[in-house]
Each structure stands twice: as C-alpha cells, then as structure tokens.
Amino acid sequence: MRIRIMLIAMRIWSIALLAFCLNGTVHAQANDPNAGAKQLWQLIDYVAVDYGGAVEHGVVASESEYAEMLDFTDNAVKQAAGLPPHASQAAVSAAVADLRAAVMRKADAAEVKNLAHRANALLIAAYPIPVAPKAMPNLARGASLYAAQCAACHGAAGHGDGTLAASLDPKPIAFSDAERAQSRSLMALYQVVTQGVAGTSMASFAALPEADRWDLAFFIGGLSFDAAARARGEKLWKDDPALHAQFPDLAAVTTLTQEAIAAKTGMQTARDLTAYIRSQPAQAEGQKPSGLALSRTRLAESLAALHAGDRAAATKLGLSAYLDGFEPIEPVVGARNKSLLAAVESAMLAYRSAVANGDVAKADAVGKELTQLFTLVEAELGDAKADPMTTFVGALTILLREGVEALLIVIGIIAFLRKAQRKDVLPHVHAGWIGALVAGVLTWVAATYLVTISGASREVSEGVGSVFAALVLLSVGLWMHQKSSAGRWQEYLSEKLSAAMTRKTAWSLFALSFIAVYREVFETVLFYSALAADGNGGALLGGFIAAVVLLAIIGWVLLRSSARMPIGKFFSFTSSFVAVLAVILIGKGVAALQEAGWVGVTPVSFPRIDMLGVLPTAETLGSQALILAILLAGFGFNRISAARRVKA
C-alpha cells in the first residue's frame, strides 16, 4: 500500500512537473501572496511624494494633508506587522515604524523621503513584487488610454484641469507639475493606476490588462517633461556612456525617481536623462548585461551588499549571479570543459555559504576566485565554434549519461513485470517512457520558440524530481529486499501480486516510467540546445544516433540477463541496485535545490564524484547518509526477520 500511494503521488507530480518545466504561469490576482506588500509599497511611496506638501520646516502647512500622512503611516505600520513571515520582516516593520515616528514629530521632508525609500527598498528585497513590465511599454497606446480614461479629470496635457476637475474634492493631481514629479517613480504611478487612491476620486483600473496599466504609467510619467528636455537627454545618453549605469535595465527606469538620479548626477542632468529614458525605455533594456557580464555585475553587487551588512540582499544577488548569469550558459561550458564547470559550481556554492555565514573575508576571496574562473570560461568559449569531434563526443556522452539512469529504472520495471507474469501492464510502462519522449520534444519546441526556461525552473524541476524519485526508489528497494529475503517469491507472485496489481497501480507505473525518463530528457534537451548553437549539426546528429544505438544495446543486454537470472537472485540484485540509485538521486536532487537556493550550503572536505551524486557539502552528504542508513537498517531488519521465520 505504501508503494502504491507513493507511485500514485508520482503520477500527480509528473503532470505538475511538466507544466512547471514548460514555464507555464497562471496568476490568480485574488490569491496574490504579495498583495499586502504591494499596497504597503504604495502607501510608503505616497508618503514620500506628498509629505512635503503637508509639513514645511517642522510646521504643518496643510492640516488635511498632514492628517492623511498620519493615517497612511499608521496603516503602513499595521500592514507591515501583517506581512507574511520572512527573515527580514522585522527589519521592514522597524523601517516603517521609523517613518511613522518621523511623520509624527514633523521631521524635514528630505528625512521622511529617505526613510520612506529605505523602507521600500527593504520591502522589495524581502517580498519581491513585479517592478517592471513584462514587455516593452507602448507609449502610443498609453497616450490613447490616457485620453480615454484620464483626461476628463487630469486634463489633456496633465495640468489637473480636466472638464470634471472643478467638481472633484480633492482636486486631481497635475501630472505636469515638475517639482512634484521629481519624487514620483513610474512604479508608483503603476500602483496608483492599479489600486486607485482611497478617499479620492482616483478609482482602480485593475480591470485593465497589466500591459495597459504600464503603458499608462509610462505616458503619465513623461507629462512633466517637454520635448527640449527629451532632446537634451538623448544627447547626454549618446555622448556619455557612463550615464548608462544610472539605468541598467527596465526595473531601474520604473523604480528610480528623478531625485534619486540627481543625487549622483545633478538635478538638470537627472531631469533631462529621466525625460529621455522614460520616452525611450528600450534604450535602458538594451544595456542590460547577460551571461558572464551579468554574473560579474551581480557578484559585485552581492559583495557590496554584504560589506554594507545587508546579508539578505547579498544572498539574493549571489543566487542571481548563478541562476540568471552563469546557469543559462552552463550546458555549453559543460559540453566543452566539464572540470571547469564543476569548479565554477563549487565556487558558487562556497560563495553562497560564506554569505550565509556572514564571512566577509571568505566571500571576498571566493569572489576573486570566481572572477578568475569567469575569465577562464570566456577563454574556453571564445568566439570560435567547437570542432565537430567535440560536438559529436559531447552529444554522445550527454545522452548516454542522462539516458542510462532512466533506462535502468524502466528496464527494472519491465523485468519485474515479466517475472511477475503481468505482461498486460507493460503497455502502461511503455506509454510512460514514450510519453516522456514526446514531452521532451514539446519541451524543446517550447524552449526554442515559445518561452525561456529559467535557471531556477530548471534546477528546481531537476531537484524536486530527483528527490521524489529517490524516495520512491527507497521504498521500492526495501520492499523488494524484504520479499527476496523471505525466499518465497513464486508463492508471493502467484498469490499476492495479481490481486495487488490493480488499474491504479498500472497508472502509477506509467507515472514512474514517465518521471524517470522525462527528468533526463529535460536535461538532455537543454544541453543539446546549447550544442546546436555551435552549428555542427551533422556531428550533433551523429552523436545522438550513436548514443541511441548504445542505449538500445544496453537495454537489450539488461533484459536478456534479467530474464535468465533466477527469480530470487534477480530480486535480490534489483533491490540492491534500486537502493544505490536512491542514494545517487537524493544527492543530485539536493545539489540541484542548493543551486536553486532552496537548500543551504555548508562546504566540507570531501571528494566530488558527480556520477554518484556526491558533492562536498554537508547537506548532500547528509541526505545520502540518511538514505543509506535507512537502507542498511531496512536490509538488516529484513534479514533478521527472514532468519526468524526459517527457525520457526
């Protein structure tokens, strides 16, 4: 029963895993776990922008606006306390409390802005919420939406003088007000468009598609600038590449205010630069680093955050250095220089361990090592394509390496069913591995033409699939060893197995066959996509065909040898083999989850054996030791029980 339940769970997992690997995303806004963080961000940003109109030089300038600031910060404190549990929740709550205290004592507007920006920075780091559009904004679409939805209140040019403005209280905001716009980000405008503003006539436009709301935010964010400012900004952008660092990507365009840029460049430059980049956001996105350049950038940012004492940000940036920068080119590196790939992966794990422990000196040392390794990777890849023989050998070894594990599991299931004289269940097993191959082809099509499978998706998929398969194999191995130790296989098979082999069990075997093959096919697809970039199509196809032929020969030999093996010896051998696979898979699974940032990293002095899933970390070795201990204890108990039955 225990095996049947676990195999049925594998069936459910197989469906979820396929959907996850194809990177399909369905967002349920009503159940958004970060909805509270989004609203809190808006409250804090509103205080940063509007506080200056409520208090001047420590004196209340507007009673109504000051009352609004008190109300907003009071609500912000309550919402911060109600955020989902997180290691940085206390820091966020403290920062919001500091902001509340500053407003209550009528602090200077500059101080309140700084406190508000600090609180929001902590909030976004702890509770990542989307801060940039998924697609490049369409300002023409934004202008059309503004004319239809906003101009009646805010005016055609954003002066707050629309036909309905006179009848509204409070009056609509004048988006063309340059002084007010200095402290307003596009992200803030997007949040206001999405959620509206309580107590005002500004309604929520959440019914509009997300892309439309971003288009509106970008158009509105440019109403305080004129054509001359945009022209000056364009000249600055083209003449001074150093200014590109102010807007490294689209997220910077949406979150940075003109004031924040002015602190580094001066107000006039900041105004012109902001005017231009908001009208041409694609220019910023074109500067976004990728590959090793992104890894270097994120690594430097991570070290800076660690030196500043922000360990949470350092951890997040360190993980991004691997998943967003290096991981996408990992298949190419692995195909050309496996030892160099292993060195980078080990150094990445060591770096994250140093950050987790707050060891700044160690992080600095490993950071320098990673920089040197990145240089070696660049030299290894270069601009030249791999020679055909390298592509052939890579295609051959990758498919053999990934295919043998899946083949052994599937062949084991088939041999088991044949020994049990249940050939009627074999179609389910064959349907499972054939379905996995079809899913692999669909994954290749999706990864090539439809979506980008992210590094995190890949590592989590591989990790969770490996851990789940290891647990199933652990249970199967113990069960098979128990029966082999009992020495009564023929009786068991004839009397018990036929009754136990229900339709549900058959579908469970389909699921196990599917998972065993698909997790390897998924990995192979990514590596083959990388090899295909070298252009040696003939060599790639040759390596693929050679590997398929070798796998077919291996499968034939395994089936023939298992058919001739005495049944007791067969199940005794198979149970040991399944146990070894469980130990290997748990190690590989935990390692993948470490690379995805789901499991911590504690390096230890121990040999690295990739083939056996052995990595020199306490977590991987500990998980393998635990599985091995369970197996040894189970095998020992089975033998003792069998001996007692013989004596009885």
Side-chain angles (χ1 to χ4, degrees):
M1 177 62 70
R2 176 180 56 184
I3 296 171
R4 190 181 307 167
I5 292 172
M6 293 187 73
L7 292 178
I8 291 172
M10 284 288 286
R11 175 184 172 192
I12 298 171
W13 164 246
S14 68
I15 299 172
L17 179 64
L18 176 60
F20 180 79
C21 291
L22 292 178
N23 212 27
T25 55
V26 180
H27 298 282
Q29 293 294 336
N31 297 316
D32 185 356
N34 287 324
K38 290 179 181 178
Q39 191 173 50
L40 177 57
W41 191 96
Q42 183 185 1
L43 283 173
I44 296 172
D45 187 80
Y46 200 89
V47 172
V49 175
D50 281 20
Y51 178 80
V55 176
E56 294 180 4
H57 308 296
V59 178
V60 175
S62 170
E63 291 290 347
S64 61
E65 289 195 25
Y66 182 64
E68 187 177 54
M69 296 297 103
L70 290 174
D71 180 57
F72 281 1
T73 53
D74 180 54
N75 282 323
V77 169
K78 294 175 182 177
Q79 290 199 24
L83 288 171
H86 189 279
S88 299
Q89 182 187 7
V92 174
S93 294
V96 174
D98 289 343
L99 175 63
R100 165 72 173 170
V103 171
M104 291 182 69
R105 59 182 168 82
K106 304 179 183 65
D108 183 71
E111 180 184 351
V112 170
K113 283 182 182 179
N114 289 334
L115 290 171
H117 292 155
R118 176 175 175 272
N120 266 345
L122 290 171
L123 179 66
I124 290 178
Y127 303 92
I129 58 178
V131 296
K134 297 174 183 177
M136 196 58 58
N138 183 338
L139 271 73
R141 171 67 176 164
S144 175
L145 288 167
Y146 180 86
Q149 305 285 351
C150 313
C153 296
H154 296 280
H159 298 316
D161 57 355
T163 55
L164 300 178
S167 62
L168 299 178
D169 184 24
K171 299 300 181 184
I173 289 175
F175 293 126
S176 60
D177 185 341
E179 183 177 354
R180 188 186 184 95
Q182 292 176 10
S183 56
R184 184 188 297 118
S185 69
L186 296 178
M187 172 65 176
L189 289 170
Y190 170 80
Q191 291 290 355
V192 169
V193 170
T194 300
Q195 299 177 11
V197 180
T200 74
S201 56
M202 179 62 198
S204 166
F205 286 87
L208 288 176
E210 180 182 339
D212 284 357
R213 283 176 272 140
W214 275 115
D215 293 344
L216 259 177
F218 268 80
F219 177 77
I220 292 170
L223 288 174
S224 62
F225 307 108
D226 56 22
R230 286 188 282 271
R232 291 192 300 268
E234 181 178 10
K235 188 174 187 306
L236 286 169
W237 185 264
K238 293 180 178 179
D239 293 348
D240 190 356
L243 291 174
H244 297 183
Q246 304 302 323
F247 295 104
D249 52 30
L250 198 56
V253 178
T254 60
T255 57
L256 292 178
T257 64
Q258 182 182 323
E259 282 184 338
I261 299 299
K264 301 176 182 179
T265 66
M267 185 56 74
Q268 187 59 51
T269 297
R271 174 173 172 75
D272 295 341
L273 198 60
T274 303
Y276 171 67
I277 211 65
R278 287 187 179 182
S279 66
Q280 299 292 333
Q283 294 296 321
E285 191 68 7
Q287 305 301 313
K288 188 176 181 179
S290 61
L292 291 176
L294 180 59
S295 289
R296 284 192 170 95
T297 299
R298 292 291 181 265
L299 183 61
E301 293 171 346
S302 177
L303 284 170
L306 184 61
H307 279 275
D310 192 347
R311 197 183 303 179
T315 299
K316 180 180 177 182
L317 290 165
L319 192 61
S320 176
Y322 174 74
L323 291 176
D324 300 325
F326 182 76
E327 205 274 347
I329 65 171
E330 179 183 296
V332 183
V333 180
R336 297 194 183 186
N337 192 329
K338 187 68 176 178
S339 60
L340 180 57
L341 171 61
V344 174
E345 289 180 336
S346 296
M348 284 287 191
L349 290 175
Y351 177 78
R352 293 208 294 273
S353 175
V355 171
N357 295 325
D359 190 339
V360 179
K362 178 69 173 177
D364 283 336
V366 179
K368 291 180 181 178
E369 179 187 353
L370 277 169
T371 300
Q372 295 170 353
L373 287 171
F374 291 157
T375 301
L376 294 177
V377 170
E378 287 175 332
E380 182 69 36
L381 300 182
D383 295 325
K385 302 294 184 182
D387 63 88
M389 181 54 67
T390 300
T391 301
F392 175 85
V393 173
L396 174 66
T397 55
I398 287 167
L399 185 53
L400 276 179
R401 184 184 71 212
E402 304 297 338
V404 166
E405 275 185 18
L407 184 66
L408 290 173
I409 295 175
V410 173
I411 292 296
I413 298 173
I414 294 173
F416 170 78
L417 292 174
R418 286 183 174 179
K419 289 286 186 182
Q421 299 179 359
R422 289 305 308 268
K423 294 183 179 180
D424 57 303
V425 184
L426 285 174
H428 290 78
V429 178
H430 292 310
W433 67 262
I434 292 172
L437 294 180
V438 173
V441 173
L442 295 177
T443 300
W444 174 78
V445 172
T448 304
Y449 300 106
L450 302 179
V451 298
T452 299
I453 299 177
S454 70
S457 297
R458 172 186 164 185
E459 299 298 346
V460 171
S461 303
E462 181 182 350
V464 175
S466 295
V467 170
F468 212 103
L471 295 177
V472 172
L473 291 174
L474 169 65
S475 182
V476 171
L478 290 172
W479 175 75
M480 295 182 75
H481 186 267
Q482 179 190 30
K483 299 307 174 184
S484 67
S485 298
R488 297 181 295 184
W489 269 106
Q490 289 292 2
E491 176 186 353
Y492 177 81
L493 291 174
S494 60
E495 295 182 4
K496 302 281 184 75
L497 189 59
S498 294
M501 198 70 72
T502 64
R503 184 174 181 83
K504 287 184 178 180
T505 305
W507 280 108
S508 298
L509 290 176
F510 163 85
L512 180 58
S513 176
F514 180 91
I515 286 291
V517 175
Y518 181 74
R519 63 177 295 276
E520 306 298 346
V521 171
F522 179 68
E523 188 79 2
T524 302
V525 164
L526 296 177
F527 275 92
Y528 267 54
S529 296
L531 288 175
D534 283 328
N536 299 317
L540 180 65
L541 181 60
F544 172 80
I545 294 174
V548 169
V549 171
L550 288 174
L551 287 173
I553 294 173
I554 294 171
W556 180 81
V557 170
L558 289 173
L559 283 173
R560 292 281 295 178
S561 59
S562 63
R564 295 176 179 178
M565 191 180 297
I567 191 167
K569 185 177 180 181
F570 167 78
F571 283 106
S572 178
F573 170 79
T574 304
S575 62
S576 300
F577 167 72
V578 166
V580 172
L581 270 183
V583 174
I584 293 174
L585 287 178
I586 196 69
K588 290 185 174 182
V590 172
L593 293 178
Q594 285 180 317
E595 291 178 347
W598 281 33
V599 175
V601 180
T602 308
V604 296
S605 179
F606 200 85
R608 176 178 177 136
I609 311 174
D610 290 317
M611 184 178 298
L612 300 179
V614 176
L615 274 79
T617 72
E619 291 77 12
T620 53
L621 295 175
S623 64
Q624 288 184 313
L626 177 61
I627 295 295
L628 186 59
I630 294 173
L631 286 166
L632 292 176
F635 282 16
F637 177 79
N638 290 339
R639 291 187 181 279
I640 293 173
S641 298
R644 287 176 178 174
R645 281 193 295 269
V646 171
K647 291 180 180 179

